């Protein structure tokens, strides 16, 4: 009889625990910001050096008179709101601030272009398309990631013990965040490849030949 009478009390305790954990989710802070980089320029590299930097084999219309290099960076700060159950279980809710950045943003123009303003302007125009891809994709990514993270972190992480929280909390956050960051990086790669199509290089080459 005692066991039967004790069951509702255990269930009530569990229900209160779950409700309290869920209430912490509503109080969590999720923020994603974009951090831009100052554009650097380098006009000292030769055509051969830029080809080596690009790590691409030259196609029929591919002459690397210009090159844009950059990297996408991401870092985050996280803190946990935690609640322990009498049986040792712990629920943890992350508050997260993610910074998405573009780093090492550099436009190279081959020194063979010399002082030819016409050719330099054409090549630079093409490279600025790449600059825009990096900046626009990462800026938009920061805006889009925030509501997605809110949606995917709308339930508390449950752990069997406080030690599991210590060992696995950041891993749980990474499991949510890292696939989203990889998707963002894949989008940048695809957009840059679209700019560097054979048709684009052919059109740029024709414009260069028309320069004095």
């Amino acid at each position: 009889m005692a066991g039967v009478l004790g069951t509702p009390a255990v269930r009530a305790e569990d229900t209160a625990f779950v409700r309290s954990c869920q209430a912490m989710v509503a109080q969590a802070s999720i923020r994603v910001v974009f951090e831009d980089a100052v554009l650097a320029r380098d006009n000292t590299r030769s055509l051969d050096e830029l080809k080596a930097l690009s790590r691409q084999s030259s196609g029929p219309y591919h002459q690397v008179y210009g090159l844009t290099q950059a990297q996408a960076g991401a870092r985050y700060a996280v803190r946990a709101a935690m609640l322990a159950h009498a049986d040792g279980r712990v629920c943890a809710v992350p508050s997260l601030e993610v910074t998405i950045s573009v780093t090492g943003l550099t436009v190279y123009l081959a020194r063979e272009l010399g002082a030819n303003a016409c050719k330099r302007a054409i090549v630079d125009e093409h490279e600025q398309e790449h600059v825009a891809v990096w900046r626009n994709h990462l800026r938009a990514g920061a805006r889009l990631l925030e509501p997605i993270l809110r949606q995917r972190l709308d339930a508390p992480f449950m752990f069997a013990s406080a030690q599991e929280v210590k060992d696995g909390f950041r891993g749980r956050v990474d499991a949510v965040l890292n696939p989203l960051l990889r998707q963002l990086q894949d989008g940048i790669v695809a957009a840059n490849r679209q700019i560097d199509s054979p048709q684009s290089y052919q059109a740029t080459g024709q414009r260069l030949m028309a320069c004095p």
Side-chain angles (χ1 to χ4, degrees), residues 149-171:
L149 286 172
R150 288 182 187 279
Q151 181 183 36
R152 297 191 181 179
L153 296 173
D154 67 348
F157 297 152
M158 293 294 183
F159 298 90
S161 66
Q163 185 60 45
E164 278 198 9
V165 178
K166 182 179 178 181
D167 294 340
F169 183 71
R170 279 189 171 268

Side-chain angles (χ1 to χ4, degrees), residues 34-40 101-105 135:
F34 168 67
E35 186 175 85
D36 202 353
V38 176
L39 176 63
S101 61
V102 55
T103 62
L105 183 59
R135 284 176 163 163

Side-chain angles (χ1 to χ4, degrees), residues 21-63:
C21 290
Q22 195 61 47
M24 291 194 304
V25 174
Q27 299 169 10
S29 171
I30 305 292
R31 184 167 178 256
V32 184
V33 298
F34 168 67
E35 186 175 85
D36 202 353
V38 176
L39 176 63
R41 291 182 175 275
D42 186 334
N43 302 327
T44 66
R45 308 295 184 102
S46 70
L47 187 59
D48 287 340
E49 287 176 303
L50 293 191
K51 287 179 180 178
L53 278 176
S54 73
R55 297 184 179 89
Q56 296 176 10
S57 59
S58 296
Y61 306 112
H62 188 182
Q63 294 297 325

Side-chain angles (χ1 to χ4, degrees), residues 180-191:
L180 297 172
L181 295 176
R182 284 195 294 270
Q183 289 176 20
L184 181 57
Q185 179 67 43
D186 290 345
I188 292 171
V189 170

Side-chain angles (χ1 to χ4, degrees), residues 27-146:
Q27 299 169 10
S29 171
I30 305 292
R31 184 167 178 256
V32 184
V33 298
F34 168 67
E35 186 175 85
D36 202 353
V38 176
L39 176 63
R41 291 182 175 275
D42 186 334
N43 302 327
T44 66
R45 308 295 184 102
S46 70
L47 187 59
D48 287 340
E49 287 176 303
L50 293 191
K51 287 179 180 178
L53 278 176
S54 73
R55 297 184 179 89
Q56 296 176 10
S57 59
S58 296
Y61 306 112
H62 188 182
Q63 294 297 325
V64 188
Y65 286 107
L67 179 68
T68 297
Q69 287 193 326
Q71 289 184 332
R75 63 185 187 275
Y76 70 82
V78 63
R79 68 180 191 276
M82 293 183 289
L83 182 67
H85 191 279
D87 64 7
R89 286 179 292 156
V90 178
C91 73
V93 173
S95 283
L96 189 64
E97 179 162 332
V98 182
T99 300
I100 294 175
S101 61
V102 55
T103 62
L105 183 59
T106 305
V107 168
Y108 298 89
L109 298 184
R111 67 169 178 255
E112 282 85 350
L113 293 171
N116 190 311
C118 175
K119 290 183 177 181
R120 291 175 66 84
I122 291 169
V123 175
D124 188 61
E125 179 184 317
H126 176 86
E127 297 310 317
Q128 290 305 316
E129 292 183 54
H130 289 295
V131 171
V133 163
W134 283 99
R135 284 176 163 163
N136 293 343
H137 272 68
L138 291 172
R139 186 179 288 109
R143 289 197 303 269
L144 294 171
L145 275 180
E146 189 168 302

Side-chain angles (χ1 to χ4, degrees), residues 10-22:
V10 172
R11 289 178 178 172
E13 183 180 351
D14 285 347
T15 300
F17 177 67
V18 171
R19 285 178 177 171
S20 296
C21 290
Q22 195 61 47

Side-chain angles (χ1 to χ4, degrees), residues 189-207:
V189 170
N192 278 318
R193 284 177 177 168
Q194 189 172 11
I195 292 172
D196 285 338
S197 66
Q199 295 81 7
S200 173
Y201 278 115
Q202 184 177 22
T204 299
Q206 290 172 345
R207 291 178 65 195

